[in-house]
Amino acid sequence: MDIGGLETVVANSAYVSARGGAGASGASSRDRRHRARLRLPHISQCEALRARLAGRGPGDGGAQGAAGQDGGAQDGAEETSFRWQCLEQPIGKRLFRQFLEATPGLAAAGALWAELEAFECCEEAERGAAAKALRGRFFSPGGAEHCGFLSAAAMAPPAGPSTPEDFGLARKELLAHLEATAWAPYRASPYFGRFTQFKWLEAQPVGAEAFADFRVLGKGGFGEVCACQRRATGKMYANKRLNKKRLKKRHGYEAAMVEKRILARVHSRFIVSLACAFQTKTDLCLVMTLMNGGDLRYHVYNVDEDNPGFPEPRAVFYTAQILLGLEHLHQHRIVYRDLKPENVLLDDRGHRDMGGPPLPPRHRGVPPVPPPGFMAPEVLRDEEYDWAVDYFTLGVTLFEMVEARGPFRRRGEKVENQEVTRRTLQDPPSFSERFSAAARAACEGLMAKDPGARLGFQAGSCAQLKAHPLFAAVSWGRLEAGLVPPPFVPDPRRVYAKDLGEVGAFSSVRGVELDGGDAALCDAFASGTVPVPWQEELIETGLFQELNVWGGPGQLPP
Ligand code: ADP
Ligand code: MG
Ligand code: MG
């Protein structure tokens, strides 16, 4: 393969070296000046914020307020909920856990919580022994860590062999117990003060100067997508720029807003997350998870051109991950609508993730319209549709990963869209010997023409689909926790993106002036930092541990 022009080589090497530096030991790739500015405020600066987070009346929080608005906590009630403060926000959860650990009378419950989480991701071979150890430690009356608050039903051993759901009821009761007995003392403790210090820091304004830009990775509808690095932490991201004038000219504000809101709301290992949204004079910017392993289309067709398509286990691995991403979206009442191999991106470890904007559920005929061959029959018939469309396209994607062609066209065949539509509505797909019986059955179930008969999301989960024989080898808990080694790991020195010259430039936008109305729209877009990814970033880069020291000025010892 041609390595491209000199410009690309230089840009790639800067990018690869920044990427390499930003691992768990990212300290070396941080910018010292920016890192130094990341300091917890004096606790006295956080009083108003603390009152707000404790649900004690209004208060402007001393910072930019409304950080929770688009950031996962959807409204005031949720911002002060136990769930949001102690379970969903990574730093909130860590501090709550530290509080439990340090509090006599709560430490056993805290330890049980940690053990239950470990149990859910343990290897199948170790599960029986792990369950036994857990029971002995926490369920034995008279034991030092006996959790007497659990009901007999929660402690009863399972009738059959051990499964990851064995302690489901215990976990539910444990969290209810913690909410009832530990949450109030936690909120009166210095640990909650520390939490408000982090929340204050999180709410500080963020702009382009917080990031260093690297090479262009791709071209979107309204601007380029670049690799970038947060100067203070060294963490790499992708920055998708949307040119304001181009947005105005092509009436793109609303779609941009929808994309931002949805990305800010979903937090799944299998969906790119939004770290922050800000604006510059010319652009709206979305800073999101960097997916630098290339897209699945490229991997299916271009990596080994003489032998396209994946061995079935690899296709099943990606299908399982996509399934978890879809389940998460559908639990948040979001229909993705645009699933196809091209929109599935790999990260640097070879795990997959969905890029592009998912859309809210139940609507019809809203662009972008998926390409022919990826449209479910009900969409082609212009009927009302729901998330079942995403399982149809999951079937198409699985088919294409195995077979290296779409189910409704022969390889290399030129077909009119009209004919693809006809086949999608009427013809069953034809399977080659590349498919196992299980893969074929799963494809048929997913590509059922009648959405009511299709495999997919039912009663709030994909439990039934996950139990399909196709996924017999998949350990869902471990996959969800990121513990399953991927079948293919992208080369860390390689850049899976087009050469700079091939990305293509934008023509300048003429005849559009921005006014006060645009400024208001842009301000609404630029909502700043999204809590969950920001907190994950601080933990992952070691900054949380560096900042979370006790005993300094204004930082009372617990
Ligand atoms: P648009 O929605 O405007 O079409 P896309 O989201 O499709 O923009 O992004 C355009 C291109 O930028 C993609 O095809 C891909 O090459 C690249 N890209 C987008 N998001 C990421 C990401 N998170 N990580 C790496 N590259 C990305
Ligand atoms: Mg695109
Ligand atoms: Mg897109």
Side-chain angles (χ1 to χ4, degrees):
M1 208 164 84
D2 178 16
I3 57 163
L6 186 59
E7 198 193 352
T8 301
V9 176
V10 172
N12 281 357
S13 69
Y15 167 47
V16 168
S17 90
R19 219 165 60 179
S25 59
S28 61
S29 56
R30 291 178 202 155
D31 176 300
R32 295 222 329 266
R33 203 163 45 87
H34 282 261
R35 163 61 186 90
R37 270 194 241 142
L38 205 60
R39 272 198 318 268
L40 294 182
H42 192 279
I43 191 80
S44 63
Q45 281 177 267
C46 306
E47 280 313 313
L49 180 59
R50 184 174 179 139
R52 194 181 90 205
L53 294 179
R56 283 185 271 118
D60 67 0
Q64 285 56 52
Q69 221 169 48
D70 290 313
Q74 257 76 68
D75 52 45
E78 207 179 315
E79 188 185 32
T80 58
S81 75
F82 171 72
R83 209 184 159 74
W84 174 240
Q85 288 188 359
C86 302
L87 308 183
E88 292 175 348
Q89 294 184 80
I91 286 182
K93 183 173 172 182
R94 288 230 168 181
L95 291 166
F96 182 56
R97 282 261 180 95
Q98 290 182 357
F99 165 77
L100 296 177
E101 241 168 71
T103 310
L106 292 172
L112 172 61
W113 188 7
E115 288 302 324
L116 289 180
E117 287 190 347
F119 176 79
E120 280 160 27
C121 331
C122 87
E123 302 258 21
E124 202 172 340
E126 289 153 19
R127 203 178 290 135
K132 190 156 171 255
L134 205 149
R135 284 171 196 291
R137 183 170 164 196
F138 299 104
F139 296 180
S140 315
E145 295 180 291
H146 178 227
C147 290
F149 53 86
L150 294 174
S151 69
M155 291 189 287
S162 207
T163 77
E165 279 83 51
D166 275 1
F167 297 103
L169 184 58
R171 186 167 209 250
K172 227 173 119 190
E173 289 184 6
L174 167 68
L175 294 179
H177 173 76
L178 290 176
E179 179 170 359
T181 62
W183 194 28
Y186 166 67
R187 293 216 279 191
S189 79
Y191 293 93
F192 186 68
R194 174 54 50 87
F195 177 59
T196 61
Q197 289 176 301
F198 276 105
K199 289 303 283 180
W200 185 95
L201 196 55
E202 174 187 287
Q204 295 312 297
V206 56
E209 66 293 335
F211 298 91
D213 279 340
F214 291 91
R215 62 156 289 172
V216 173
L217 298 171
K219 193 176 160 189
F222 296 96
E224 291 164 342
V225 177
C226 282
C228 69
Q229 182 172 40
R230 174 121 52 191
R231 296 183 200 269
T233 66
K235 168 119 177 164
M236 299 295 296
Y237 282 106
N239 180 6
K240 179 161 160 176
R241 296 202 193 98
L242 309 164
N243 181 275
K244 289 179 181 177
K245 287 188 174 175
R246 200 168 290 118
L247 277 171
K248 181 171 188 180
K249 187 161 186 171
R250 296 206 234 129
H251 309 287
Y253 278 128
E254 202 189 319
M257 207 66 182
V258 169
E259 177 168 13
K260 188 209 73 160
R261 280 220 191 90
I262 289 176
L263 288 179
R265 226 167 83 198
V266 295
H267 302 292
S268 155
R269 183 184 294 286
F270 308 107
I271 301 167
V272 287
S273 43
L274 182 73
C276 66
F278 63 84
Q279 60 178 319
T280 66
K281 233 173 113 180
T282 53
D283 297 303
L284 300 182
C285 297
L286 292 169
V287 176
M288 52 194 173
T289 322
L290 175 64
M291 302 301 291
N292 47 22
D295 67 62
L296 276 191
R297 191 185 157 74
Y298 177 84
H299 285 280
V300 168
Y301 293 99
N302 302 98
V303 171
D304 183 355
E305 288 184 15
D306 299 327
N307 186 22
F310 297 149
E312 196 173 293
R314 185 172 172 195
V316 171
F317 178 82
Y318 296 138
T319 304
Q321 294 197 323
I322 300 171
L323 170 62
L324 290 176
L326 290 178
E327 183 182 45
H328 184 82
L329 285 176
H330 298 158
Q331 282 166 345
H332 284 78
R333 308 189 47 75
I334 296 162
V335 176
Y336 181 54
R337 241 188 69 114
D338 201 16
L339 178 60
K340 53 187 171 181
E342 201 180 323
N343 276 347
V344 178
L345 307 170
L346 297 188
D347 69 12
D348 52 2
R349 295 178 48 224
H351 286 286
R352 52 106 356 243
D353 212 310
M354 283 180 292
L359 295 161
R362 289 188 195 285
H363 57 145
R364 48 203 288 195
V366 182
V369 176
F374 283 93
M375 266 192 264
E378 62 272 30
V379 178
L380 290 169
R381 287 192 295 258
D382 200 23
E383 298 166 358
E384 276 258 316
Y385 60 84
D386 62 13
W387 42 60
V389 299
D390 288 337
Y391 297 94
F392 183 86
T393 50
L394 181 63
V396 177
T397 301
L398 169 59
F399 186 103
E400 187 162 351
M401 284 192 281
V402 173
E403 193 74 9
R405 67 175 174 91
F408 302 110
R409 70 176 81 208
R410 286 179 282 282
R411 201 174 292 169
E413 183 192 25
K414 268 225 166 306
V415 211
E416 295 289 325
N417 287 351
Q418 225 180 346
E419 173 60 9
V420 175
T421 298
R422 192 201 60 75
R423 291 179 190 174
T424 309
L425 288 172
Q426 293 167 10
D427 295 355
S430 63
F431 296 89
S432 76
E433 66 295 343
R434 286 179 67 99
F435 289 86
S436 69
R440 181 183 168 150
C443 273
E444 283 170 342
L446 289 165
M447 283 194 274
K449 312 270 185 216
D450 170 9
R454 200 171 293 153
L455 282 176
F457 184 78
Q458 272 146 14
S461 84
C462 291
Q464 192 202 6
L465 177 51
K466 287 177 180 170
H468 192 279
L470 179 69
F471 302 118
V474 175
S475 159
W476 293 100
R478 294 178 58 73
L479 188 67
E480 191 114 41
L483 295 174
V484 180
F488 160 86
V489 178
D491 180 347
R493 287 149 309 171
R494 192 164 154 190
V495 175
Y496 295 86
K498 287 181 186 163
D499 286 345
L500 293 178
E502 290 171 38
V503 172
F506 283 97
S507 54
S508 56
V509 186
R510 287 169 205 280
V512 180
E513 289 308 324
L514 300 174
D515 56 31
D518 301 307
L521 288 167
C522 293
D523 290 348
F525 177 94
S527 52
T529 301
V530 183
V532 171
W534 183 82
Q535 295 182 23
E536 275 170 355
E537 178 181 346
L538 286 203
I539 291 171
E540 193 184 298
T541 56
L543 265 286
F544 168 71
Q545 291 82 340
E546 284 175 33
L547 293 170
N548 188 34
V549 288
W550 298 90
Q555 300 169 0
L556 302 172

